[in-house]
Amino acid sequence: MGPGRLINRLAVVVAVGLCLTAAPPAFAGDPSPETATATVDAASPGRDRVRMNRRVFDRVWSEVRSQYYDPDLHGVDWNAARRTFRPRALAAADDRALYAALNEMLDLLDDDHAGAAPPAVARRQATLRERRPAIGVSLRAIDPASGRYRVERVRPGSPADRAGVRAGWTLATGGPGQWSPEQDVEAGQPVHLAFTDETGAPRPLQVAPEMLDPEPAFVADRSRPGVVVLRVEGFEPGLGDWMGEQLARTGPDTDVVVDLRGNPGGRLIEADAVLSCFLPRDLRWATRTGRSGRTVEMRTAGGCGPLEGPAPHEVVVLVDGDSRSAAELTPAALQEAGRALVIGEPTAGAVLISQETRLPDGGKLTLSRADFVTAAGVRLEKRGVTPDLPAEAEGDAALLAAIAVLSGPTLAAAASVEGGAAPGL
């Protein structure tokens, strides 16, 4: 998976049902499962749980040591990290405790792409575009260690919507009787949700999940004359073909807005496909550097569904602070090439190239495998993309600004008024 997997740890959007390597080597001084079990009290996990905890922890620790893009691990003493967090992981009585220990260890890397998702979250990822039991809430982690999440979106007509849940509320998880993202949900089986509303008042609710149809990953809005808005929820399989189909049926006099607000990224190949819709074939748009130090130029491969050659349309890209990874590198490349105007808020600055590894218990490890700089040599990690025109991301402000720009002077003129096509790069 390319930069910006659909779910990362520090900015995890939990589309909750509320909406191979060799075995790791033994290390001197490691307790065996039997010894570890014997050293904890009667309330601690059983032997099978300890064994699985050990397998999961050792897979994560070894994968970081051998595969992380920076062989120096940003200066982190990884052996010391193992000594600190392995006992906690082995003593974990449930997935919540195990993955809390794993992610606290991965926190040491100071890398938004380095994260471990427990099995329940991984299952929700795998069924994101399928009919499934859900409550209809998307959550973003505020503080994973304390189990607090912010409600990013409430699906209209969903059980959560009918219960009065609103975007901006916070959710506390993991307390006695409270639902947490490490747990699955079942249709018709109520879950207890400890919300706090925007005023700080507690709003405890009991909500029963229902079977909900999936929401589309890509949506074309042609309701406005002279402009088509292409809303992209994630860089998921089929995006390039879909965008090519939309552009092929869009006349050259119609302007294009690509809305990447709240987009967590996704597949690198789909990012290239989107860029190929607007840029010439074989144009260098980035360089990646792997663990070995070898660099690889990233060039547009061409191919944008049925579209032949780059689209002739005027283009604006909308971004915000939750635009990540592929949803950052794409506007950055278009911005640097002078092909699109970027409007909205500065992006997240989470732009390393990552891949996922399946863990022994069904969870997932996401780990950065390569560094990334733009064609102009700018490293977007921890920096992000600065829009050409700032606009509030929430509501219609950014979209209205885009439409105003598209209906006024040319994009090149609008960019020059703001000081250049890529002031933040």
Side-chain angles (χ1 to χ4, degrees):
M1 202 168 189
R5 55 195 164 80
L6 297 179
I7 297 186
N8 60 54
R9 181 179 47 79
L10 294 182
V12 60
V13 173
V14 184
V16 295
L18 283 173
C19 147
L20 267 228
T21 59
F27 295 85
D30 284 352
S32 67
E34 292 79 6
T35 303
T37 303
T39 60
V40 294
D41 61 29
S44 297
R47 181 173 299 181
D48 289 344
R49 177 83 217 190
V50 173
R51 285 174 173 164
M52 181 57 72
N53 290 350
R54 179 180 187 274
R55 291 179 62 197
V56 171
F57 180 91
D58 288 348
R59 175 68 64 83
V60 170
W61 187 89
S62 298
E63 193 88 0
V64 173
R65 184 185 63 171
S66 63
Q67 301 297 322
Y68 192 61
Y69 84 99
D70 177 7
D72 294 328
L73 305 183
H74 299 170
V76 176
D77 185 338
W78 205 235
N79 288 319
R82 185 175 187 276
R83 290 192 295 271
T84 298
F85 290 99
R86 195 170 189 268
R88 277 184 53 190
L90 266 61
D94 54 26
D95 288 344
R96 180 181 178 83
L98 171 61
Y99 280 82
L102 292 171
N103 282 315
E104 283 188 47
M105 180 176 71
L106 293 168
D107 259 345
L108 300 175
L109 298 172
D110 190 25
D111 178 350
D112 283 2
H113 283 83
V121 173
R123 285 189 289 270
R124 285 194 290 271
Q125 293 177 2
T127 59
L128 183 62
R129 302 302 170 192
E130 300 176 11
R131 181 174 170 82
R132 63 191 178 93
I135 289 176
V137 171
S138 294
L139 303 174
R140 187 173 297 278
I142 299 172
D143 180 5
S146 66
R148 293 178 64 245
Y149 294 81
R150 180 181 184 274
V151 177
E152 290 286 294
R153 180 176 177 272
V154 180
R155 180 172 174 173
S158 66
D161 184 35
R162 296 196 303 272
V165 180
R166 296 293 176 259
W169 288 16
T170 60
L171 177 69
T173 66
Q178 296 174 353
W179 177 88
S180 69
E182 296 81 16
Q183 299 171 337
D184 289 309
V185 297
E186 298 181 22
Q189 296 296 317
V191 293
H192 298 276
L193 305 171
F195 287 111
T196 301
D197 67 19
E198 63 277 2
T199 71
R203 292 291 192 98
L205 292 173
Q206 180 172 286
V207 183
E210 296 175 2
M211 295 299 296
L212 298 180
D213 291 326
E215 295 185 289
F218 327 123
V219 176
D221 179 359
R222 299 178 180 273
S223 63
R224 300 170 182 84
V227 63
V228 57
V229 180
L230 303 179
R231 170 68 183 167
V232 180
E233 297 290 343
F235 283 72
E236 300 180 26
L239 172 58
D241 288 343
W242 175 84
M243 186 161 289
E245 292 168 0
Q246 297 301 321
L247 293 171
R249 59 177 289 220
T250 301
D253 294 334
T254 298
D255 299 322
V256 174
V257 176
V258 180
D259 189 351
L260 302 181
R261 291 174 295 178
N263 185 315
R267 293 174 177 259
L268 188 60
I269 191 172
E270 297 297 344
D272 183 83
V274 170
L275 291 173
S276 294
C277 291
F278 302 105
L279 300 175
R281 181 188 289 269
D282 201 38
L283 179 71
R284 183 173 69 89
W285 57 273
T287 300
R288 60 187 294 174
T289 304
R291 181 183 173 93
S292 68
R294 185 173 71 92
T295 60
V296 177
E297 288 189 348
M298 301 167 70
R299 295 178 174 271
T300 48
C304 178
L307 191 69
E308 295 184 4
H313 311 87
E314 295 275 19
V315 184
V316 166
V317 182
L318 303 183
V319 297
D320 65 7
D322 290 325
S323 301
R324 294 174 171 269
S325 298
E328 298 182 83
L329 61 89
T330 300
L334 294 173
Q335 193 183 52
E336 284 192 347
R339 183 62 183 88
L341 197 71
V342 179
I343 294 180
E345 299 173 346
T347 62
V351 195
L352 294 172
I353 297 176
S354 62
Q355 291 179 328
E356 290 181 344
T357 298
R358 177 74 68 175
L359 297 175
D361 63 348
K364 285 185 181 180
L365 168 69
T366 302
L367 199 63
S368 299
R369 309 301 176 103
D371 204 352
F372 170 94
V373 297
T374 69
V378 176
R379 188 172 189 263
L380 296 173
E381 180 71 10
K382 305 300 183 186
R383 176 175 182 165
V385 179
T386 300
D388 299 300
L389 296 174
E392 185 178 347
E394 293 187 6
D396 294 331
L399 180 56
L400 292 175
I403 294 172
V405 168
L406 288 167
S407 63
T410 65
L411 294 187
S416 65
V417 169
E418 293 299 315
L425 297 180

